[in-house]
Amino acid sequence: MRFSGVTIDVQQHYFLDKSFLTSSCDYEEWDTPEKLCHLLFESTPLIGEVCLSSEQYHDFSERGHRLFAKLVKENGVLSRLEKQILSAAVVFQVQREDADRVDEDDTGDHLWRYILKNLGFDEELFACKESKAYHILRNLLQETLRISTEHGKKYYNTLKMQALAPASSISELFNIIYQFYRKNLECQYDEAENAFQILSQNIQKKIIRADGSDQINLGSSVWALKSSLKVLFQYYPEYMAAVCDAIAKKIDLYLRGDDPGFCDCNRWDVLLQKWFQSKTKEERDNMQRVRARRVRQKIITTKEAIRPQYLMQDEELTIRLPHIRLPEITQPPVARLYQNGRVVAQLRMSVYGDPMCYTTQEFTFELDHLQGISFNDCFDFQVEIICGDSVLYDSKALLFRQYLVFNENGYESLPFKCQNGKARIVAPANAEVKIIDADDNYFDESDNFQIFQVSLLSAQEIWVNDVDILAQEDSKNLSVHGYCIPDPAKGVAIISGEKRFQIYDRVPTLHVVLGENTSAKNFRIFIDSTRHSLYEYIGDKHTGEIDLPSAARFCHRIQIVEFHTGEVMFETAYIILRQFSVSFANPYYFNQACTGDVTVKFSGGTYTHSFKLLEDQETVQFPLLGNGLDISVDVPKINITANGENVLYWSEKKWHEDIPQDTFIKVSRPTDLQIDLVLGNKFIPKPRRGNVYEIGNLICTIERENASIPFGALIRHEGMVDELKIAEIYFLPTFLSSPLVREDTQIIWQPEDRFIGPARPVFTVELDNDLTDEPWIYKQLSAGKAFEKNFSCRPGRYECRVFLEPDDDNPFAIGIRRQMVWEETFEIEEEPERRFEGKSIRLLKTWFWSCETQKVEVAKIHYNDAVIFDIDYIGMSDFDGEFDFPVPAYEGILCFRSPDQKWNYMNNDPENERYENVNPVSFCIAHENRVKVFNADEELLQLDAMVYTETGYVRIKNRKWDCTVEEERRRFPIADEFEFREEDDA
């Protein structure tokens, strides 16, 4: 058996008091309490971190009995180890008491009586008063335990703290840590974080400030923590920071699908496993999805690591600041931008988290849209971050540029680093820019600044204010470029081992470009492993074209290598597949686990592959050419995220307050699709830049006229429009189904997963009754428990209403009235034998299957054609298997009124061959206002529907007709049910 404290892996990050240092505790098998205590008291600050098996607890209990009797009854002296065993036995009894106790309320007196009882104490047997035994035991614990407290009910708190009890308080701590991990850390656990010290310190502040004036919101209220944990946070915050850190680490491991290393003899671990198990499968799956969806972006935690950077986003020039988390950020900071020493912008940065631990959102200055920007000046920008009155960061000269070079992904780069030779050159508006490109392969995208899209593979020179940008590469000793014409197939590659080969449908030509002071004599070119001098191909020129191998279905590899160093300066690998194309069975797939078919065609052959993809998996790979050659194809996936969370996993019903105001929707899609986001019957405005939609603020502005509004997307492709409903967003609280479950005379409160509305709602239920003019009122309802145990009023219908009470703790809720969120009616029926006393039943409407229309038809019955008189209760029956269980059954006489206004029996003579054997009929109630009626042969009644299609009416078949079986099926269908009305029996 091996026990290790939950902080063992993280305690080195914290300045723990010596008494709180922990170490591993190893022993091969269970032997005796002496063996465990010898190790435990030396290595564990809190004895309750150990969780015993039933056998071990039994051993400790027996040893505790004997030692307590020796100490009190026999006035004996205990050794140090015996004192430790007795103290540990008491701690483990506190754990057991916590597990056995149903009522949350607990008092110190109750706990001590429980302990003494379990130690076998008896005043007469021990010849000792309970108070004396209590003091003897109390003094022993204070002397023996490694950690105790002098605060509050110090002995009670010491025991609870040592036992890590109650478990409900530990569960609340897990709630707080998870909410902090999700909200403040965005599901990003980092062993080097200082966040848990901030968490522990702020919980400590919250506990000390009893009035709650610090306004720190811990998600799950800190006041749910019991005194034992409050003492640990208040007086040992560094230890609790280590505990929170270790728990968060295990939560992170569990949610990402790795083994957290739970130890079944560690109470922290056991309770954490129970906490996970207490969540529904849907909740656990959602927790894992949230963690998986959060895009891991670098969060800066030191001032020295802050690096603003230039970006080219959707043709616009920006300066971006990363996510920043520093203890000095105590409020949303301000970002100030200078140009040439002038303030041109001052904007407040968005943050997430709360005063416990703020993190700034990624922040961007959009230079093209700042009115104070001078587009003629050099890029002499400076950024300051100001928090309160302090300058948190100053970029100084870090952002000074004479010109900017961006790669095809929009990141600032150097020319020789731009992949595929594609770049954008940005210069001030009045700068002198000259581009020498033999292929004239560049585009002027000037707007405010001068922006040029260029190919560095064909451009020979690029001058900005007499500075040759490409010449700057010489100092980097990288002066060879290469590119192939035509372009390879997009989104596909042939895979051999770990090597990717681009696919061409015809033979490509390699274009080589050398720097101005570079000679081809300095390079070798390897073509399919055959070595040549580059000089053989281009001579003294600085550009040249090289015909590449044309063999189809073979993998080719081209390298240009520096002669002296052997450094590879350029490399490409390709394969030629004639008439190559790729197509998918569907035009797109959603970013979820999905299946599909992809078809690859080349050289007259067609190959179809069925695939299964996981979420976030965007590439399918399968064998294609044999000899270990696979093809990798990018799947056209649509991904829609809200602050990094996949909205395709949102619940179908979503409360509007669960969508924070700073929520942004990001859409990624195949280039040949167009996607519009829709809220209700309105399009969400498209962003001024990029593909990020600001939905949080939009939802906050919606008038609360509608109870709910659908949120979805319109997907346009190839002239078609597909509708995708993502969620129904609710603005008025409501129940999706009844929270009231009636079982016999009990009514049980069951709101789980049925309520859409504010978190932590408070409900009141009003139930009408027959005893008073006032309804019965129920408050502080407990889920799963009966709030009305004897609802046995007189027969009748009673309304029940559920109200949502305003949040008294919310200052904005003042003046808000309670809202009715559910209403339903309970019916108490009369005893079956009295159900139809003095009553008759008039049949009004019937349902039947029509052989002509092949569907269920509904027809009216002539007003005087079907009334059942003389009704008697005949007991319970399942009507020969018509019902799964017996129901109350009744018998009566089915009559019709003749033109002389007299009531006439339908046939009740079984010997009469001219008429159906109708009476007496039997019937039962099928639904609230429907009955099933059976004739004297216990068969469902037949209908006369010969004129139904003309009149919409039917009669109940009384006379027999001479017709074929097919004619009878068509003209005389069987009545399934009848709608009825009760009347006084005349």
Side-chain angles (χ1 to χ4, degrees), residues 160 192 229 231 290 312 396 448 500 555 566 582 596 600 680 716 820 826 852 978:
K160 288 285 189 176
L229 279 184
V231 166
V290 168
M312 178 64 68
K396 298 182 180 178
N448 297 322
R500 293 177 63 88
C555 295
V582 174
V600 177
R716 306 177 194 274
M820 187 167 70
F826 292 127
E852 291 186 343
F978 292 91

Side-chain angles (χ1 to χ4, degrees), residues 508-738:
T509 299
L510 174 63
H511 291 247
V512 178
V513 181
L514 300 181
E516 184 178 358
N517 299 319
T518 302
S519 171
K521 295 179 180 180
N522 294 327
F523 302 95
R524 290 174 176 166
I525 181 169
F526 289 81
I527 301 178
D528 287 346
S529 302
T530 302
R531 184 176 61 186
H532 304 271
S533 170
L534 184 60
Y535 188 78
E536 295 177 21
Y537 290 92
I538 65 175
D540 292 325
K541 297 184 296 181
H542 289 279
T543 62
E545 298 179 1
I546 301 175
D547 294 330
L548 297 180
S550 60
R553 300 198 185 192
F554 285 93
C555 295
H556 303 284
R557 185 177 181 182
I558 312 300
Q559 287 184 322
I560 297 178
V561 178
E562 208 277 333
F563 183 81
H564 297 287
T565 64
E567 181 178 359
V568 177
M569 312 301 293
F570 169 80
E571 180 176 9
T572 187
Y574 69 93
I575 189 171
I576 299 172
L577 301 177
R578 306 283 184 180
Q579 301 172 329
F580 179 84
S581 68
V582 174
S583 61
F584 286 86
N586 298 333
Y588 59 85
Y589 300 84
F590 292 114
N591 188 27
Q592 298 172 306
C594 63
T595 60
D597 296 309
V598 58
T599 300
V600 177
K601 295 181 180 180
F602 64 93
S603 301
T606 300
Y607 308 86
T608 299
H609 175 75
S610 297
F611 60 83
K612 293 182 179 180
L613 288 185
L614 300 176
E615 184 183 0
D616 289 338
Q617 186 181 351
E618 299 180 349
T619 302
V620 58
Q621 183 173 327
F622 55 93
L624 184 66
L625 296 170
N627 298 321
L629 297 181
D630 293 353
I631 186 169
S632 172
V633 185
D634 294 343
V635 179
K637 272 197 170 184
I638 292 175
N639 191 24
I640 306 175
T641 58
N643 292 352
E645 178 184 356
N646 192 341
V647 303
L648 300 176
Y649 289 110
W650 273 7
S651 58
E652 294 180 1
K653 320 284 186 183
K654 199 167 185 68
W655 180 240
H656 71 99
E657 290 180 358
D658 293 337
I659 303 175
Q661 190 170 353
D662 62 350
T663 298
F664 291 86
I665 299 289
K666 185 174 182 180
V667 179
S668 61
R669 55 176 176 76
T671 55
D672 58 342
L673 299 184
Q674 178 183 341
I675 296 181
D676 294 307
L677 297 183
V678 182
L679 192 60
N681 57 0
K682 296 181 180 179
F683 288 99
I684 298 178
K686 289 191 174 182
R688 183 161 47 87
R689 59 176 180 78
N691 54 355
V692 177
Y693 296 77
E694 192 172 350
I695 191 176
N697 283 327
L698 181 61
I699 288 178
C700 291
T701 62
I702 291 178
E703 296 292 336
R704 304 298 188 258
E705 296 177 356
N706 299 318
S708 65
I709 296 178
F711 165 58
L714 298 180
I715 305 170
R716 306 177 194 274
H717 61 96
E718 299 176 351
M720 301 177 63
V721 179
D722 298 335
E723 295 185 17
L724 169 66
K725 183 175 181 180
I726 297 172
E728 187 79 14
I729 300 177
Y730 282 77
F731 295 91
L732 297 178
T734 187
F735 279 98
L736 301 177
S737 61
S738 176

